[in-house]
Amino acid sequence: MIDTLGALGWLFLVVAFGAIVPVVPTGAAVSSAAAYALHEHPYAIGLVVATGAAGAYTGDLVMYAMCRYGGEQLARRLHWLNDEERLTAVRARLQRRQVTVLLVSRLIPGGRVPVLLAAAFAGVSWRTFVIANMPACVLWSLVYTTIGLLGASIFPEPWQGVLAAIVVILVVNQSITWISRWWERRAARASTSSTS
């Protein structure tokens, strides 16, 4: 039991750190933990969901505080503001549907940081952010736990399930990135052709 709690503690730290430093593959960490838990400690699957959500939530709160209080200067210094057009589009969506955009942003690879920046710059209240982000983090953790469980249920060895979960997450994330870029280029071409 103590080793399970230690592993969950590490999972919390990895996910929280990954929410602050967006290059850490936090979804893969949750999926891997779920795949391992299914083979070794099936009773801990609910704890994996809760720990992943808690780590994501904690990291998001720190990140939002950094965005709110560090402002645009900090975002530029850390190279979070690479795409001004995307940030403007996210701001417009946030003004129409704050809670929905905050909920969905956690599930889209690369979508969380622009939404956090836009929300911070637009002055979305702490109360709105805290309330909307909680179910978003739980849903995110549940999705990645499910991916890990699917991988673990197919393969007999824990390492095979962990590897399968990581591969699936990388493929899904890359596919979503390609589709969103294609969609953005298509929308840009459509707006350019309509103005000319």
Side-chain angles (χ1 to χ4, degrees):
M1 181 65 174
I2 291 179
D3 58 329
T4 302
L5 292 176
L8 291 171
W10 276 109
L11 177 63
F12 175 85
L13 290 174
V14 166
V15 173
F17 181 73
I20 300 166
V21 181
V23 295
V24 176
T26 55
V30 172
S31 292
S32 300
Y36 184 76
L38 182 65
H39 284 289
E40 302 295 323
H41 308 287
Y43 63 86
I45 292 169
L47 295 174
V48 169
V49 173
T51 302
Y57 189 70
T58 302
D60 282 358
L61 289 177
V62 170
M63 182 79 153
Y64 191 64
M66 289 169 63
C67 291
R68 291 252 338 205
Y69 300 117
E72 210 166 314
Q73 275 187 324
L74 177 66
R76 287 190 189 287
R77 194 172 303 133
L78 295 176
H79 303 289
W80 289 341
L81 279 179
N82 294 333
D83 191 353
E84 295 279 346
E85 290 177 24
R86 186 174 182 194
L87 189 61
T88 304
V90 171
R91 275 186 190 165
R93 275 185 262 144
L94 266 171
Q95 289 179 349
R96 289 190 306 265
R97 297 177 303 250
Q98 287 182 349
V99 175
T100 306
V101 172
L102 289 169
L103 274 170
V104 173
S105 72
R106 191 142 234 320
L107 297 175
I108 299 171
R112 187 179 61 87
V113 173
V115 169
L116 289 177
L117 285 171
F121 297 162
V124 172
S125 72
W126 270 101
R127 183 175 181 276
T128 301
F129 180 76
V130 165
I131 291 170
N133 197 47
M134 192 175 300
C137 290
V138 172
L139 180 62
W140 172 85
S141 186
L142 193 59
V143 166
Y144 281 103
T145 297
T146 302
I147 292 170
L149 293 176
L150 290 173
S153 66
I154 295 171
F155 299 100
E157 295 294 323
W159 69 269
Q160 293 169 330
V162 168
L163 184 62
I166 291 170
V167 168
V168 166
I169 288 167
L170 292 174
V171 168
V172 167
N173 282 351
Q174 192 60 48
S175 299
I176 291 172
T177 301
W178 285 335
I179 290 168
S180 66
R181 284 184 185 156
W182 172 80
W183 192 261
E184 287 172 4
R185 282 192 299 261
R186 183 174 174 236
R189 271 188 257 127
S191 68
T192 306
S193 64
S194 67
T195 56
S196 41

